[in-house]
Amino acid sequence: MVAHQWEPPELCTCCASPARIKDCFLNGGQAWEIEKSWCANAARIMPSLPRVYSEEREFVRRAIRFAVQERDIHRFLTIGGGLPDTEPMDDYVLPFTSGQVVYADKDRYVLAYLDLLASEHDQIDCVRGDFHVPGTILFTDVIEDLLSDGTPICLVLNGVLDATDDTEALAATLGCYTERLPPGSLMIATHATVDGLDTDNTADLALVGQMRQVCQLFRTPHWPQRHLRTAEELGHLLRGLDLLEPGITFTANWANPRRAGDRRPAESLCLAAVAAVPSLRTAYASVAGVRASGRCAR
Ligand SMILES: C[S@@+](CC[C@H](N)C(=O)[O-])C[C@H]1O[C@@H](n2cnc3c(N)ncnc32)[C@H](O)[C@@H]1O
């Protein structure tokens, strides 16, 4: 992995930005006319889309609360940070004196906003870099400081994994990040999906078509279309990490007592997972176990 001289792409004002689209669906108040009309069009195609966004946000809220309250993690790095007006992170993390939130993004508009936010809060930092070029994020002073004392952190990846269709390349990219995370660190991830829908059922089949159409809509001269993955594919991306209970679920179901036992996508159409970086001892035990059983991981 090499460090790069990296500059964000030019500011794009001619097409809808994923950050402001999300902000629009979550009523954050930063959307321009172009995103308002994108969202209206997308919601006409897929009336349950606003719900997909809100369920995803609620999952991230629960997962962050879990990281803070159950794992005592107070330092967060979110790649594809977006416009944190609608982010839940600050409410949970910043009350701790050791709390720190680092937002990384590649969108010039988002970066300008994040720079301003970081200049106003000691506990917030902003990194300009491209998720797909890990050196642009990992080899920055802010991230080297964040990781320097070996205390577990939480890496949040929501809204970035589905922007590429090459699962193997994405797994390799993720590996660059996870190998730098101290043992005990967590990864919170979401991914768009149509897994779990029953294509023999007319309503489900319609949803599959709507979701695929909306994924295409993201494609502009500046942004890629979205790709869908199954739970198995998301599990493959998280290989080497310990998937925490309840495993990979739909966002609406993850640690949600109101939806316990409900395995249907229920229109959330977005997968959720929280996984931990194993301690060296656990990683060693699992390698030793494989050796002892005579099996090879490959
Ligand atoms: C859908 S928004 C999600 C924002 C935020 N995570 C949230 O949930 O509100 C996706 C964000 O990822 C950023 N992004 C997309 N591709 C990226 C990349 N390759 N590297 C860094 N940021 C990226 C976009 O600029 C945008 O701010």
Short mmCIF file of all heavy atoms in Angstrom, two decimals, residues 6 17-23 26 53 56-57 60 78-89 103-111 114 127-133 136-137 156-163 177 190 218 222-224 226, ligand 1:
data_model
loop_
_atom_site.label_atom_id
_atom_site.label_comp_id
_atom_site.label_asym_id
_atom_site.label_seq_id
_atom_site.Cartn_x
_atom_site.Cartn_y
_atom_site.Cartn_z
N TRP A 6 -3.10 12.97 -3.05
CA TRP A 6 -4.48 12.78 -3.51
C TRP A 6 -5.26 14.07 -3.41
O TRP A 6 -5.21 14.78 -2.40
CB TRP A 6 -5.14 11.69 -2.64
CG TRP A 6 -6.50 11.31 -3.14
CD1 TRP A 6 -6.80 10.39 -4.09
CD2 TRP A 6 -7.74 11.85 -2.70
NE1 TRP A 6 -8.15 10.32 -4.28
CE2 TRP A 6 -8.76 11.21 -3.44
CE3 TRP A 6 -8.11 12.83 -1.77
CZ2 TRP A 6 -10.10 11.50 -3.28
CZ3 TRP A 6 -9.46 13.12 -1.61
CH2 TRP A 6 -10.44 12.45 -2.35
N SER A 17 -25.82 14.46 -5.63
CA SER A 17 -24.72 13.88 -4.84
C SER A 17 -25.30 12.86 -3.86
O SER A 17 -26.32 13.12 -3.21
CB SER A 17 -23.97 14.99 -4.10
OG SER A 17 -24.11 14.87 -2.72
N PRO A 18 -24.62 11.69 -3.73
CA PRO A 18 -25.13 10.67 -2.81
C PRO A 18 -25.30 11.21 -1.39
O PRO A 18 -26.24 10.84 -0.68
CB PRO A 18 -24.06 9.58 -2.87
CG PRO A 18 -23.39 9.76 -4.19
CD PRO A 18 -23.44 11.22 -4.48
N ALA A 19 -24.38 12.09 -0.96
CA ALA A 19 -24.47 12.60 0.42
C ALA A 19 -25.75 13.44 0.59
O ALA A 19 -26.47 13.31 1.58
CB ALA A 19 -23.24 13.44 0.75
N ARG A 20 -26.02 14.31 -0.41
CA ARG A 20 -27.21 15.16 -0.27
C ARG A 20 -28.49 14.38 -0.55
O ARG A 20 -29.56 14.71 -0.04
CB ARG A 20 -27.09 16.41 -1.16
CG ARG A 20 -26.03 17.39 -0.64
CD ARG A 20 -26.11 18.74 -1.36
NE ARG A 20 -26.00 18.58 -2.79
CZ ARG A 20 -24.87 18.62 -3.48
NH1 ARG A 20 -23.74 18.86 -2.87
NH2 ARG A 20 -24.87 18.44 -4.78
N ILE A 21 -28.39 13.29 -1.35
CA ILE A 21 -29.58 12.43 -1.54
C ILE A 21 -29.97 11.83 -0.19
O ILE A 21 -31.12 11.84 0.22
CB ILE A 21 -29.27 11.31 -2.57
CG1 ILE A 21 -29.19 11.88 -3.98
CG2 ILE A 21 -30.31 10.19 -2.50
CD1 ILE A 21 -28.70 10.90 -5.04
N LYS A 22 -28.94 11.31 0.50
CA LYS A 22 -29.24 10.69 1.80
C LYS A 22 -29.79 11.73 2.77
O LYS A 22 -30.76 11.50 3.49
CB LYS A 22 -27.97 10.05 2.37
CG LYS A 22 -28.25 9.19 3.58
CD LYS A 22 -27.13 8.23 3.80
CE LYS A 22 -27.58 7.09 4.68
NZ LYS A 22 -26.57 6.04 4.77
N ASP A 23 -29.14 12.89 2.76
CA ASP A 23 -29.59 13.98 3.63
C ASP A 23 -31.05 14.34 3.33
O ASP A 23 -31.84 14.60 4.23
CB ASP A 23 -28.69 15.19 3.39
CG ASP A 23 -29.06 16.37 4.25
OD1 ASP A 23 -28.61 16.42 5.40
OD2 ASP A 23 -29.85 17.23 3.77
N LEU A 26 -33.37 11.83 4.72
CA LEU A 26 -33.39 11.86 6.19
C LEU A 26 -33.80 13.24 6.72
O LEU A 26 -33.67 13.53 7.90
CB LEU A 26 -32.02 11.46 6.74
CG LEU A 26 -31.61 10.01 6.43
CD1 LEU A 26 -30.18 9.73 6.88
CD2 LEU A 26 -32.56 9.01 7.05
N TYR A 53 -33.91 4.09 3.69
CA TYR A 53 -32.94 5.02 4.27
C TYR A 53 -33.14 5.17 5.78
O TYR A 53 -32.19 5.18 6.55
CB TYR A 53 -33.04 6.39 3.59
CG TYR A 53 -32.26 6.46 2.30
CD1 TYR A 53 -32.85 6.14 1.09
CD2 TYR A 53 -30.92 6.84 2.30
CE1 TYR A 53 -32.12 6.20 -0.10
CE2 TYR A 53 -30.19 6.90 1.11
CZ TYR A 53 -30.80 6.58 -0.08
OH TYR A 53 -30.08 6.64 -1.25
N GLU A 56 -32.01 2.13 7.69
CA GLU A 56 -30.55 2.03 7.71
C GLU A 56 -29.99 2.96 8.80
O GLU A 56 -29.11 2.60 9.57
CB GLU A 56 -29.98 2.39 6.34
CG GLU A 56 -28.53 1.95 6.17
CD GLU A 56 -27.56 3.07 5.93
OE1 GLU A 56 -27.86 4.22 6.28
OE2 GLU A 56 -26.48 2.78 5.38
N ARG A 57 -30.54 4.18 8.83
CA ARG A 57 -30.07 5.14 9.84
C ARG A 57 -30.33 4.64 11.26
O ARG A 57 -29.50 4.76 12.16
CB ARG A 57 -30.75 6.50 9.60
CG ARG A 57 -30.44 7.61 10.60
CD ARG A 57 -28.99 7.74 10.96
NE ARG A 57 -28.09 7.58 9.84
CZ ARG A 57 -27.58 8.59 9.13
NH1 ARG A 57 -27.85 9.82 9.45
NH2 ARG A 57 -26.78 8.35 8.12
N VAL A 60 -27.75 2.08 12.17
CA VAL A 60 -26.44 2.68 12.51
C VAL A 60 -26.49 3.25 13.93
O VAL A 60 -25.56 3.08 14.72
CB VAL A 60 -26.03 3.75 11.47
CG1 VAL A 60 -24.76 4.46 11.90
CG2 VAL A 60 -25.83 3.11 10.11
N THR A 78 -15.48 7.08 10.21
CA THR A 78 -16.51 6.74 9.24
C THR A 78 -16.05 7.17 7.85
O THR A 78 -15.75 8.34 7.62
CB THR A 78 -17.90 7.31 9.64
OG1 THR A 78 -18.79 7.11 8.56
CG2 THR A 78 -17.88 8.76 9.98
N ILE A 79 -15.94 6.19 6.97
CA ILE A 79 -15.46 6.48 5.61
C ILE A 79 -16.68 6.60 4.70
O ILE A 79 -17.55 5.72 4.70
CB ILE A 79 -14.51 5.39 5.09
CG1 ILE A 79 -13.34 5.24 6.07
CG2 ILE A 79 -14.00 5.74 3.69
CD1 ILE A 79 -12.31 4.20 5.66
N GLY A 80 -16.73 7.69 3.96
CA GLY A 80 -17.96 8.06 3.27
C GLY A 80 -18.83 8.74 4.32
O GLY A 80 -19.99 8.40 4.52
N GLY A 81 -18.22 9.70 4.99
CA GLY A 81 -18.85 10.32 6.17
C GLY A 81 -20.12 11.08 5.83
O GLY A 81 -21.04 11.16 6.63
N GLY A 82 -20.16 11.65 4.63
CA GLY A 82 -21.36 12.38 4.22
C GLY A 82 -21.57 13.64 5.04
O GLY A 82 -20.62 14.23 5.56
N LEU A 83 -22.82 14.02 5.15
CA LEU A 83 -23.19 15.27 5.83
C LEU A 83 -23.73 14.93 7.21
O LEU A 83 -24.87 14.52 7.34
CB LEU A 83 -24.23 16.01 4.99
CG LEU A 83 -23.69 16.43 3.63
CD1 LEU A 83 -24.82 16.81 2.68
CD2 LEU A 83 -22.70 17.57 3.78
N PRO A 84 -22.88 15.07 8.23
CA PRO A 84 -23.25 14.51 9.52
C PRO A 84 -24.33 15.27 10.28
O PRO A 84 -24.55 14.96 11.45
CB PRO A 84 -21.93 14.48 10.29
CG PRO A 84 -21.02 15.37 9.57
CD PRO A 84 -21.56 15.63 8.21
N ASP A 85 -25.02 16.18 9.62
CA ASP A 85 -26.19 16.78 10.28
C ASP A 85 -27.15 15.71 10.72
O ASP A 85 -27.85 15.84 11.71
CB ASP A 85 -26.91 17.68 9.27
CG ASP A 85 -26.79 19.12 9.69
OD1 ASP A 85 -25.92 19.39 10.53
OD2 ASP A 85 -27.57 19.95 9.18
N THR A 86 -27.19 14.64 9.90
CA THR A 86 -28.14 13.59 10.21
C THR A 86 -27.44 12.37 10.80
O THR A 86 -28.01 11.30 10.88
CB THR A 86 -28.88 13.17 8.92
OG1 THR A 86 -27.91 12.91 7.92
CG2 THR A 86 -29.82 14.25 8.46
N GLU A 87 -26.17 12.52 11.18
CA GLU A 87 -25.41 11.40 11.75
C GLU A 87 -25.71 11.26 13.23
O GLU A 87 -25.79 12.25 13.95
CB GLU A 87 -23.90 11.65 11.59
CG GLU A 87 -23.37 11.19 10.27
CD GLU A 87 -23.23 9.68 10.19
OE1 GLU A 87 -23.31 9.01 11.24
OE2 GLU A 87 -23.07 9.17 9.07
N PRO A 88 -25.80 10.03 13.69
CA PRO A 88 -26.09 9.83 15.10
C PRO A 88 -24.83 9.80 15.95
O PRO A 88 -24.88 9.80 17.17
CB PRO A 88 -26.72 8.44 15.11
CG PRO A 88 -26.13 7.74 13.94
CD PRO A 88 -25.80 8.79 12.92
N MET A 89 -23.67 9.79 15.29
CA MET A 89 -22.44 9.50 16.01
C MET A 89 -22.14 10.47 17.14
O MET A 89 -21.81 10.09 18.25
CB MET A 89 -21.31 9.55 15.01
CG MET A 89 -20.38 8.41 15.19
SD MET A 89 -19.40 8.19 13.76
CE MET A 89 -20.53 7.58 12.60
N TYR A 103 -14.27 11.81 10.15
CA TYR A 103 -15.03 11.59 8.92
C TYR A 103 -14.07 11.64 7.74
O TYR A 103 -13.29 12.58 7.62
CB TYR A 103 -16.07 12.69 8.73
CG TYR A 103 -17.16 12.71 9.77
CD1 TYR A 103 -17.16 13.66 10.79
CD2 TYR A 103 -18.20 11.79 9.73
CE1 TYR A 103 -18.17 13.68 11.75
CE2 TYR A 103 -19.20 11.81 10.69
CZ TYR A 103 -19.18 12.75 11.69
OH TYR A 103 -20.18 12.77 12.63
N ALA A 104 -14.14 10.61 6.89
CA ALA A 104 -13.35 10.64 5.65
C ALA A 104 -14.31 10.65 4.47
O ALA A 104 -15.34 9.96 4.49
CB ALA A 104 -12.44 9.42 5.57
N ASP A 105 -13.99 11.42 3.46
CA ASP A 105 -14.87 11.49 2.29
C ASP A 105 -14.06 11.96 1.09
O ASP A 105 -12.91 12.39 1.24
CB ASP A 105 -16.05 12.44 2.55
CG ASP A 105 -17.31 12.02 1.79
OD1 ASP A 105 -17.34 12.20 0.55
OD2 ASP A 105 -18.26 11.51 2.42
N LYS A 106 -14.66 11.85 -0.10
CA LYS A 106 -13.95 12.31 -1.30
C LYS A 106 -14.69 13.41 -2.05
O LYS A 106 -14.20 13.93 -3.04
CB LYS A 106 -13.68 11.14 -2.23
CG LYS A 106 -14.90 10.59 -2.93
CD LYS A 106 -14.48 9.67 -4.07
CE LYS A 106 -15.66 9.38 -4.96
NZ LYS A 106 -15.33 8.55 -6.10
N ASP A 107 -15.88 13.76 -1.57
CA ASP A 107 -16.70 14.76 -2.26
C ASP A 107 -16.31 16.16 -1.77
O ASP A 107 -16.35 16.42 -0.57
CB ASP A 107 -18.18 14.44 -1.95
CG ASP A 107 -19.14 15.42 -2.59
OD1 ASP A 107 -18.84 16.63 -2.65
OD2 ASP A 107 -20.23 14.98 -3.00
N ARG A 108 -15.92 17.02 -2.70
CA ARG A 108 -15.44 18.35 -2.32
C ARG A 108 -16.46 19.14 -1.49
O ARG A 108 -16.10 19.86 -0.57
CB ARG A 108 -15.12 19.18 -3.56
CG ARG A 108 -13.65 19.21 -3.87
CD ARG A 108 -13.35 20.08 -5.07
NE ARG A 108 -12.14 19.61 -5.69
CZ ARG A 108 -10.92 20.01 -5.33
NH1 ARG A 108 -10.76 20.91 -4.39
NH2 ARG A 108 -9.86 19.51 -5.93
N TYR A 109 -17.73 19.03 -1.85
CA TYR A 109 -18.75 19.76 -1.11
C TYR A 109 -18.83 19.25 0.33
O TYR A 109 -18.84 20.01 1.30
CB TYR A 109 -20.11 19.60 -1.82
CG TYR A 109 -21.27 20.20 -1.07
CD1 TYR A 109 -21.60 21.54 -1.22
CD2 TYR A 109 -22.02 19.43 -0.18
CE1 TYR A 109 -22.65 22.09 -0.52
CE2 TYR A 109 -23.08 19.97 0.52
CZ TYR A 109 -23.40 21.31 0.34
OH TYR A 109 -24.43 21.85 1.04
N VAL A 110 -18.85 17.91 0.44
CA VAL A 110 -18.91 17.29 1.76
C VAL A 110 -17.67 17.66 2.57
O VAL A 110 -17.75 18.00 3.76
CB VAL A 110 -19.00 15.74 1.61
CG1 VAL A 110 -18.79 15.03 2.92
CG2 VAL A 110 -20.36 15.35 1.01
N LEU A 111 -16.51 17.64 1.90
CA LEU A 111 -15.26 17.95 2.61
C LEU A 111 -15.26 19.38 3.14
O LEU A 111 -14.77 19.63 4.24
CB LEU A 111 -14.07 17.72 1.68
CG LEU A 111 -13.76 16.24 1.44
CD1 LEU A 111 -12.79 16.06 0.28
CD2 LEU A 111 -13.20 15.58 2.70
N LEU A 114 -17.29 19.25 6.20
CA LEU A 114 -16.62 18.53 7.29
C LEU A 114 -15.44 19.34 7.85
O LEU A 114 -15.18 19.33 9.05
CB LEU A 114 -16.12 17.17 6.79
CG LEU A 114 -17.22 16.15 6.44
CD1 LEU A 114 -16.61 14.90 5.82
CD2 LEU A 114 -18.05 15.78 7.67
N VAL A 127 -10.85 13.80 7.15
CA VAL A 127 -9.76 13.34 6.28
C VAL A 127 -10.28 13.32 4.85
O VAL A 127 -11.37 12.82 4.59
CB VAL A 127 -9.33 11.91 6.69
CG1 VAL A 127 -8.44 11.28 5.62
CG2 VAL A 127 -8.62 11.92 8.03
N ARG A 128 -9.49 13.88 3.93
CA ARG A 128 -9.88 13.81 2.51
C ARG A 128 -9.16 12.63 1.88
O ARG A 128 -7.94 12.52 1.96
CB ARG A 128 -9.57 15.12 1.79
CG ARG A 128 -8.24 15.75 2.16
CD ARG A 128 -8.15 17.18 1.69
NE ARG A 128 -9.19 17.97 2.31
CZ ARG A 128 -9.93 18.87 1.65
NH1 ARG A 128 -9.73 19.10 0.39
NH2 ARG A 128 -10.85 19.55 2.28
N GLY A 129 -9.93 11.70 1.33
CA GLY A 129 -9.30 10.53 0.74
C GLY A 129 -10.34 9.68 0.05
O GLY A 129 -11.55 9.91 0.18
N ASP A 130 -9.85 8.70 -0.69
CA ASP A 130 -10.74 7.82 -1.44
C ASP A 130 -10.70 6.44 -0.79
O ASP A 130 -9.63 5.83 -0.67
CB ASP A 130 -10.24 7.74 -2.90
CG ASP A 130 -11.19 6.94 -3.79
OD1 ASP A 130 -11.95 6.10 -3.27
OD2 ASP A 130 -11.18 7.16 -5.02
N PHE A 131 -11.86 5.97 -0.41
CA PHE A 131 -11.97 4.65 0.22
C PHE A 131 -11.24 3.58 -0.59
O PHE A 131 -10.61 2.69 -0.04
CB PHE A 131 -13.46 4.30 0.36
CG PHE A 131 -13.70 2.87 0.71
CD1 PHE A 131 -13.41 2.39 1.97
CD2 PHE A 131 -14.24 1.99 -0.23
CE1 PHE A 131 -13.62 1.06 2.30
CE2 PHE A 131 -14.46 0.67 0.08
CZ PHE A 131 -14.14 0.19 1.36
N HIS A 132 -11.32 3.68 -1.92
CA HIS A 132 -10.73 2.64 -2.77
C HIS A 132 -9.22 2.76 -2.90
O HIS A 132 -8.58 1.91 -3.52
CB HIS A 132 -11.38 2.66 -4.17
CG HIS A 132 -12.84 2.35 -4.09
ND1 HIS A 132 -13.31 1.12 -3.74
CD2 HIS A 132 -13.92 3.14 -4.25
CE1 HIS A 132 -14.64 1.15 -3.71
NE2 HIS A 132 -15.03 2.37 -4.02
N VAL A 133 -8.66 3.82 -2.34
CA VAL A 133 -7.20 3.97 -2.33
C VAL A 133 -6.81 4.13 -0.86
O VAL A 133 -6.62 5.25 -0.37
CB VAL A 133 -6.77 5.21 -3.18
CG1 VAL A 133 -5.26 5.22 -3.38
CG2 VAL A 133 -7.49 5.23 -4.52
N THR A 136 -4.64 6.80 0.91
CA THR A 136 -5.03 8.22 1.00
C THR A 136 -5.72 8.52 2.32
O THR A 136 -5.78 9.67 2.76
CB THR A 136 -5.98 8.62 -0.15
OG1 THR A 136 -7.17 7.82 -0.07
CG2 THR A 136 -5.35 8.41 -1.51
N ILE A 137 -6.25 7.48 2.95
CA ILE A 137 -6.92 7.68 4.25
C ILE A 137 -6.01 7.21 5.39
O ILE A 137 -5.78 7.93 6.37
CB ILE A 137 -8.27 6.93 4.25
CG1 ILE A 137 -9.21 7.63 3.24
CG2 ILE A 137 -8.89 6.89 5.65
CD1 ILE A 137 -10.55 6.97 3.04
N VAL A 156 -16.88 2.72 10.53
CA VAL A 156 -18.26 2.70 10.06
C VAL A 156 -18.26 2.84 8.54
O VAL A 156 -17.71 3.81 8.00
CB VAL A 156 -19.08 3.85 10.70
CG1 VAL A 156 -20.53 3.79 10.27
CG2 VAL A 156 -18.97 3.80 12.22
N LEU A 157 -18.87 1.88 7.87
CA LEU A 157 -18.94 1.89 6.41
C LEU A 157 -20.39 1.74 5.99
O LEU A 157 -20.87 0.61 5.82
CB LEU A 157 -18.12 0.73 5.84
CG LEU A 157 -16.61 0.79 6.09
CD1 LEU A 157 -15.94 -0.52 5.69
CD2 LEU A 157 -15.97 1.96 5.35
N ASN A 158 -21.10 2.84 5.95
CA ASN A 158 -22.48 2.74 5.46
C ASN A 158 -22.65 3.67 4.28
O ASN A 158 -22.30 4.84 4.33
CB ASN A 158 -23.51 3.00 6.58
CG ASN A 158 -23.42 4.38 7.16
OD1 ASN A 158 -22.34 4.88 7.38
ND2 ASN A 158 -24.55 5.00 7.41
N GLY A 159 -23.12 3.06 3.18
CA GLY A 159 -23.31 3.86 1.98
C GLY A 159 -22.09 3.92 1.08
O GLY A 159 -22.06 4.74 0.17
N VAL A 160 -21.05 3.12 1.33
CA VAL A 160 -19.90 3.13 0.42
C VAL A 160 -19.61 1.78 -0.24
O VAL A 160 -19.10 1.74 -1.35
CB VAL A 160 -18.57 3.59 1.11
CG1 VAL A 160 -18.50 5.07 1.22
CG2 VAL A 160 -18.36 2.92 2.43
N LEU A 161 -19.94 0.68 0.43
CA LEU A 161 -19.54 -0.63 -0.11
C LEU A 161 -20.28 -0.96 -1.40
O LEU A 161 -19.76 -1.68 -2.25
CB LEU A 161 -19.81 -1.74 0.92
CG LEU A 161 -19.01 -1.63 2.22
CD1 LEU A 161 -19.39 -2.77 3.16
CD2 LEU A 161 -17.52 -1.65 1.94
N ASP A 162 -21.50 -0.45 -1.55
CA ASP A 162 -22.29 -0.83 -2.73
C ASP A 162 -21.96 -0.01 -3.98
O ASP A 162 -22.60 -0.17 -5.01
CB ASP A 162 -23.81 -0.80 -2.45
CG ASP A 162 -24.18 0.11 -1.33
OD1 ASP A 162 -23.44 1.08 -1.10
OD2 ASP A 162 -25.21 -0.14 -0.68
N ALA A 163 -20.92 0.82 -3.89
CA ALA A 163 -20.57 1.63 -5.06
C ALA A 163 -19.61 0.91 -6.00
O ALA A 163 -19.13 1.51 -6.96
CB ALA A 163 -19.98 2.97 -4.62
N TYR A 177 -7.81 -2.03 5.35
CA TYR A 177 -8.27 -1.29 6.53
C TYR A 177 -8.25 -2.19 7.77
O TYR A 177 -7.73 -1.80 8.82
CB TYR A 177 -9.70 -0.75 6.32
CG TYR A 177 -9.74 0.36 5.29
CD1 TYR A 177 -10.11 0.09 3.97
CD2 TYR A 177 -9.39 1.66 5.62
CE1 TYR A 177 -10.12 1.09 3.01
CE2 TYR A 177 -9.41 2.68 4.67
CZ TYR A 177 -9.78 2.39 3.36
OH TYR A 177 -9.78 3.39 2.41
N THR A 190 -23.17 -1.57 6.17
CA THR A 190 -24.48 -1.79 5.56
C THR A 190 -24.28 -2.02 4.06
O THR A 190 -23.26 -1.60 3.50
CB THR A 190 -25.44 -0.59 5.75
OG1 THR A 190 -24.88 0.55 5.10
CG2 THR A 190 -25.70 -0.30 7.20
N PHE A 218 -28.38 6.13 -9.63
CA PHE A 218 -27.23 6.80 -9.00
C PHE A 218 -26.15 7.15 -10.02
O PHE A 218 -25.33 8.01 -9.79
CB PHE A 218 -26.62 5.90 -7.92
CG PHE A 218 -27.34 5.97 -6.61
CD1 PHE A 218 -28.33 5.06 -6.29
CD2 PHE A 218 -27.02 6.96 -5.69
CE1 PHE A 218 -29.00 5.13 -5.09
CE2 PHE A 218 -27.68 7.04 -4.49
CZ PHE A 218 -28.67 6.13 -4.18
N HIS A 222 -20.36 11.61 -12.50
CA HIS A 222 -19.46 11.73 -11.34
C HIS A 222 -19.61 10.62 -10.32
O HIS A 222 -18.77 10.49 -9.42
CB HIS A 222 -19.67 13.08 -10.65
CG HIS A 222 -19.27 14.23 -11.51
ND1 HIS A 222 -18.00 14.74 -11.52
CD2 HIS A 222 -19.97 14.92 -12.44
CE1 HIS A 222 -17.93 15.71 -12.41
NE2 HIS A 222 -19.11 15.84 -12.97
N TRP A 223 -20.68 9.86 -10.39
CA TRP A 223 -20.91 8.84 -9.37
C TRP A 223 -21.29 7.52 -10.02
O TRP A 223 -22.02 7.50 -11.02
CB TRP A 223 -22.06 9.26 -8.42
CG TRP A 223 -21.72 10.50 -7.65
CD1 TRP A 223 -22.12 11.76 -7.92
CD2 TRP A 223 -20.85 10.58 -6.52
NE1 TRP A 223 -21.58 12.64 -7.02
CE2 TRP A 223 -20.79 11.94 -6.14
CE3 TRP A 223 -20.12 9.64 -5.78
CZ2 TRP A 223 -20.03 12.39 -5.07
CZ3 TRP A 223 -19.36 10.09 -4.71
CH2 TRP A 223 -19.32 11.44 -4.36
N PRO A 224 -20.82 6.40 -9.43
CA PRO A 224 -21.16 5.10 -10.01
C PRO A 224 -22.57 4.66 -9.61
O PRO A 224 -23.12 5.18 -8.63
CB PRO A 224 -20.14 4.15 -9.36
CG PRO A 224 -19.80 4.81 -8.06
CD PRO A 224 -19.97 6.29 -8.24
N ARG A 226 -25.24 1.92 -8.03
CA ARG A 226 -25.15 1.07 -6.84
C ARG A 226 -25.25 -0.39 -7.24
O ARG A 226 -25.91 -0.71 -8.24
CB ARG A 226 -26.27 1.42 -5.86
CG ARG A 226 -26.12 2.80 -5.27
CD ARG A 226 -24.77 2.89 -4.65
NE ARG A 226 -24.37 4.24 -4.36
CZ ARG A 226 -24.21 4.70 -3.13
NH1 ARG A 226 -24.42 3.93 -2.10
NH2 ARG A 226 -23.79 5.94 -2.94
C1 LIG B 1 -24.80 7.73 0.78
S1 LIG B 1 -23.63 8.83 1.47
C2 LIG B 1 -23.55 8.19 3.12
C3 LIG B 1 -23.08 9.21 4.09
C4 LIG B 1 -23.04 8.75 5.54
N1 LIG B 1 -22.27 7.54 5.73
C5 LIG B 1 -24.43 8.60 6.07
O1 LIG B 1 -24.84 7.48 6.33
O2 LIG B 1 -25.12 9.62 6.20
C6 LIG B 1 -22.12 8.20 0.78
C7 LIG B 1 -20.91 9.07 1.10
O3 LIG B 1 -19.75 8.37 0.70
C8 LIG B 1 -18.90 9.25 0.00
N2 LIG B 1 -18.11 8.43 -0.89
C9 LIG B 1 -18.54 7.71 -1.95
N3 LIG B 1 -17.53 7.04 -2.51
C10 LIG B 1 -16.43 7.33 -1.76
C11 LIG B 1 -15.06 6.95 -1.83
N4 LIG B 1 -14.63 6.12 -2.79
N5 LIG B 1 -14.21 7.42 -0.91
C12 LIG B 1 -14.63 8.28 0.05
N6 LIG B 1 -15.92 8.68 0.17
C13 LIG B 1 -16.79 8.22 -0.72
C14 LIG B 1 -19.82 10.22 -0.70
O4 LIG B 1 -19.18 11.43 -1.01
C15 LIG B 1 -20.90 10.38 0.34
O5 LIG B 1 -20.61 11.43 1.22
#
